[in-house]
Amino acid sequence: MLSFSSRYARWLPILAGAALIFIILDLQHLRKVGTGLFKAEPLEVIIEPDHNSIKPSNQTVQPDHKIPASASACRPLPGIEDVLVIVKTGITEALDKIPVHVRTTLRCIPNVLIVSDFEEEIDGIRTHDVFRNMSNSVRENKEFGLYNRARNHGRAGLTEQDFVKVANSAAGMGDNPGWALDKWKFLPMVVEARNYHPTAKWYFVLEADTYPFWSNLLVWLENFDSSKKWYLGNQMMISGDVFAHGGSGFALSNGAINAVADEYTKRMDAWHDRTMASWAGDCMLGIALLEIGISLTWSWPHVTGQSVWDQDAVNEAYGERPWCHAPVTFHHMTPTDIEMMYKFETEWFSDKNHSHLLYSDVFSRVVHPRLADRLDDWDNKAGTELIKEGDEEAKWTLSECAEACAQDTKCIQYSIDEAGTCKTSDLILRGVPSPGVTAGTMMWRVDSKVHSLGECENPEWVIPT
C-alpha cells in the first residue's frame, strides 16, 4: 500500500478533487468533438460521385470560425445572417491572404465558407477542398498537377514554380499552376455553397484579395427579391460572353444558385469539357447561368476590379459616376490595404450618423490625403503617352511633362519614367510605388473637380428599373 509523509498527506484531497474535475471535463470534450471549430475527421473513403446524385444538404450550418464572444465587438449588420459569404482562395496564397480577413472582414460574419484547392486550418478557420467530389478522370488533367501534389503530400508537395509570379495577359496567367487550376473552382463551388447552407437568401463570392463593405452590400441587396433568380456583378466580356468578374465579387440569390447547381450536376461531363477549353472560370459560370435563363445584372461601380488606389471616383463609365454610389468591394487589395480599410471603415461606422459609405467619402478620407503635387518612385497609372511634335523618339523632361499637363485643361495627373516617357490622365488615382517613375497631380484641378461634384444628398444604387 502506498504511503505519504505527513508533509504531502494534506494535499491528497485537493489533488483527488482536481483529478476528478479533469476527467469530467475531458469526457465532455470528447462528446463535443466534431461539432465545433476543430472537427474530428473520419477515415476518408473516396467514392466516385454519381454526377446526377448530388443533392442539397438539409443539415444545419456549422460555422467554420468563431465570432467574437463579446457582442459589443461587432456592430449590427441586419440581414447578414441570411448571407453565405464565400471566399475563394488557393494553397499558394491562402497563408498570406486569409489571416487578415479572419481578424478583420470576417470577424463578425456568421456564415462563411472558404473554398480552396487544399483543406487546412488557417488561424482558426477551415478551408474546404472544392474538388473533393470531382471525378478522378477530371483530376488526372495536367491542370490539376498542383492539386494532386498537395493532396498527396500537403504543402511539402509544392515547388518554387508554384509561387512564381507571371505577367498577366489578355488570356490570364496560364503559366502559373495555381491560376490555371483556379478556373475549375467556380462551378463546383456553387454546389459546395448550396450544400453548405441551402437556405441562405444570398451567396456572395469574393477572392482573398477583395475587400468587402458589408453594410453597403446589405442595403444594396434589399432592392432585390432573393426568391427570384439574381446574378449581380461587375460586367466583363470574353468573345461576346458577358459574365461577372470573379475578383470584383458577385452575388447569387437562392433561386439562382439552386438553378445553376442543378444544371452543373446534371451535365458535369459537358461542363468539364467546356471548362477545359476555356481559361476563365468566372466566364464559364456566367455562360452556365445565361444558358438557364439567368442574365447578369450589371453592377459596376458597386463591385469593381480595381483597388481603392486604382479606382477613379469622379469620372463616368458604363453610364454611371462612382462619386455618390456606395462601394461594395475593392479588388487587388494587399493585406496592409485590408487592415487600413478595415480601420477606416470601423471608425466611420462608429459614428451613429453614418448608415452608409460612399465613394466620395472614401476619396475624401482615404485617397485625397495621400495625393501630392509630386511623388518620386511612384506611378499614378496615367495612361496617355505624349509624343513630342515632329520627333516621336524625343525624350521628355520632368518639367516639360508637367507643363504639358498644365496646358491641357482636362489633364489632372501625369507621370514620367527614366526613359523620358511622359504620360497624362484625366483620372484621379493614388497609384502604387514604382522605382524610377515620378508622378505628379494638379491638386488645384482635383479640388476644383471635387467642388463641382458637390455633396451627395442620398446614395445612388444600381438596381433594375
Side-chain angles (χ1 to χ4, degrees):
M1 179 176 180
L2 290 174
S3 62
F4 295 86
S5 69
S6 59
R7 179 182 179 185
Y8 297 107
R10 62 192 178 92
W11 291 99
L12 286 176
I14 298 174
L15 293 172
L20 180 60
I21 292 171
F22 177 82
I23 291 170
I24 293 171
L25 290 175
D26 192 55
L27 288 173
Q28 289 177 336
H29 167 74
L30 289 174
R31 283 196 295 269
K32 290 181 179 179
V33 168
T35 62
L37 175 60
F38 298 99
K39 302 179 178 67
E41 293 297 326
L43 180 66
E44 182 181 22
V45 179
I46 299 176
I47 301 175
E48 291 301 310
D50 178 350
H51 291 179
N52 297 315
S53 66
I54 300 178
K55 303 297 182 183
S57 169
N58 293 319
Q59 69 184 43
T60 302
V61 176
Q62 296 292 333
D64 289 318
H65 72 303
K66 294 180 180 178
I67 299 173
S70 172
S72 62
C74 299
R75 72 175 187 271
L77 291 170
I80 195 64
E81 67 279 359
D82 296 322
V83 179
L84 175 62
V85 173
I86 306 156
V87 182
K88 182 173 66 65
T89 188
I91 188 173
T92 59
E93 67 168 19
L95 293 182
D96 295 327
K97 297 181 179 180
I98 293 299
V100 68
H101 284 285
V102 175
R103 63 179 181 265
T104 59
T105 65
L106 300 180
R107 282 182 66 251
C108 301
I109 307 304
N111 304 314
V112 178
L113 175 64
I114 310 288
V115 294
S116 181
D117 42 40
F118 184 65
E119 187 166 336
E120 59 186 333
E121 294 280 347
I122 302 176
D123 283 13
I125 194 166
R126 183 176 185 166
T127 66
H128 291 246
D129 177 1
V130 74
F131 300 127
R132 62 192 177 90
N133 288 320
M134 190 169 280
S135 67
N136 284 336
S137 61
V138 176
R139 295 195 303 229
E140 290 171 356
N141 184 288
K142 65 178 182 180
E143 292 182 331
F144 280 81
L146 170 65
Y147 173 77
N148 291 325
R149 282 187 279 112
R151 185 177 175 86
N152 293 328
H153 307 290
R155 289 189 168 274
L158 301 181
T159 68
E160 291 184 5
Q161 179 61 32
D162 295 329
F163 296 92
V164 172
K165 301 293 183 182
V166 299
N168 203 352
S169 69
M173 297 179 287
D175 292 335
N176 180 279
W179 196 94
L181 179 63
D182 187 75
K183 72 178 183 180
W184 292 92
K185 296 173 185 172
F186 285 85
L187 287 169
M189 175 180 68
V190 298
V191 177
E192 287 288 320
R194 192 258 301 269
N195 288 350
Y196 185 82
H197 194 352
T199 60
K201 292 181 179 179
W202 291 98
Y203 300 80
F204 188 71
V205 182
L206 64 153
E207 296 188 354
D209 61 347
T210 304
Y211 186 90
F213 296 92
W214 301 124
S215 295
N216 287 348
L217 171 68
L218 294 171
V219 175
W220 179 41
L221 292 181
E222 287 178 358
N223 295 285
F224 302 87
D225 182 350
S226 64
S227 67
K228 297 182 179 179
K229 298 173 183 178
W230 290 107
Y231 173 39
L232 316 174
N234 179 17
Q235 58 272 14
M236 299 287 285
M237 181 182 293
I238 296 177
S239 301
D241 295 313
V242 177
F243 61 97
H245 177 232
S248 301
F250 60 91
L252 290 168
S253 65
N254 185 281
I257 205 165
N258 272 292
V260 73
D262 287 343
E263 164 63 18
Y264 171 60
T265 55
K266 288 176 183 176
R267 300 198 300 126
M268 276 188 175
D269 289 340
W271 284 112
H272 291 160
D273 289 343
R274 294 174 74 171
T275 300
M276 185 62 222
S278 176
W279 59 266
D282 44 7
C283 181
M284 289 309 304
L285 176 58
I287 292 172
L289 284 159
L290 186 61
E291 290 192 4
I292 56 175
I294 305 173
S295 59
L296 175 68
T297 296
W298 291 28
S299 303
W300 188 90
H302 293 314
V303 284
T304 175
Q306 304 298 332
S307 76
V308 67
W309 312 123
D310 294 337
Q311 177 57 62
D312 177 67
V314 302
N315 287 286
E316 186 175 311
Y318 302 112
E320 305 285 351
R321 188 188 305 275
W323 189 251
C324 290
H325 284 77
V328 171
T329 62
F330 286 115
H331 187 36
H332 295 306
M333 298 285 277
T334 67
T336 300
D337 293 337
I338 290 171
E339 292 270 18
M340 177 279 302
M341 188 60 73
Y342 183 77
K343 182 176 184 295
F344 161 69
E345 185 189 7
T346 300
E347 292 173 351
W348 178 265
F349 283 108
S350 67
D351 185 335
K352 294 182 179 179
N353 293 320
H354 291 159
S355 60
H356 55 263
L357 179 67
L358 304 182
Y359 269 98
S360 57
D361 301 318
V362 175
F363 178 84
S364 299
R365 303 297 181 92
V366 177
V367 178
H368 188 279
R370 292 170 170 82
L371 298 176
D373 293 316
R374 172 177 169 177
L375 290 171
D376 294 327
D377 295 321
W378 199 266
D379 184 4
N380 57 21
K381 305 296 183 73
T384 302
E385 183 177 347
L386 298 186
I387 305 298
K388 283 192 174 183
E389 188 174 349
D391 189 351
E392 294 184 358
E393 298 182 0
K395 296 182 179 181
W396 292 79
T397 65
L398 175 61
S399 60
E400 289 174 337
C401 188
E403 181 61 23
C405 182
Q407 293 299 318
D408 180 355
T409 57
K410 293 184 179 179
C411 180
I412 297 179
Q413 293 186 309
Y414 64 90
S415 69
I416 185 168
D417 61 19
E418 292 177 323
T421 302
C422 174
K423 297 180 180 180
T424 62
S425 174
D426 63 347
L427 306 180
I428 307 176
L429 308 180
R430 163 66 172 165
V432 295
S434 182
V437 179
T438 300
T441 300
M442 305 290 166
M443 294 301 297
W444 75 91
R445 285 181 177 159
V446 172
D447 295 336
S448 176
K449 184 73 172 181
V450 169
H451 179 74
S452 69
L453 293 175
E455 297 287 336
C456 300
E457 295 184 4
N458 296 297
E460 297 177 4
W461 301 99
V462 176
I463 55 178
T465 55

